[in-house]
Amino acid sequence: MPDVDIDPFFDAVAQGVEEAILNAMVANEDMSGRDGNFVPALPKAWLKDRFG
């Protein structure tokens, strides 16, 4: 199959992966892990105001 015919599929996969990563980043909550490690969630109100 020629590369020209496959390019749209690669583009679609890349866009799907990008969307999944962004969704995971926005949908997350505060997390506490091993040895007391803490990672706060992204501030959803700030994101909404900024990127709305």
Side-chain angles (χ1 to χ4, degrees), residues 11-23:
D11 289 339
V13 169
Q15 289 176 10
V17 170
E18 179 181 8
E19 184 71 21
I21 291 168
L22 292 173
N23 285 341

Side-chain angles (χ1 to χ4, degrees), residues 15-50:
Q15 289 176 10
V17 170
E18 179 181 8
E19 184 71 21
I21 291 168
L22 292 173
N23 285 341
M25 289 174 62
V26 172
N28 71 343
E29 297 179 4
D30 292 346
M31 296 183 292
S32 295
R34 184 175 178 206
D35 298 329
N37 291 315
F38 177 75
V39 178
L42 290 173
K44 292 174 181 66
W46 178 82
L47 289 171
K48 186 175 181 179
D49 290 342
R50 178 124 184 183

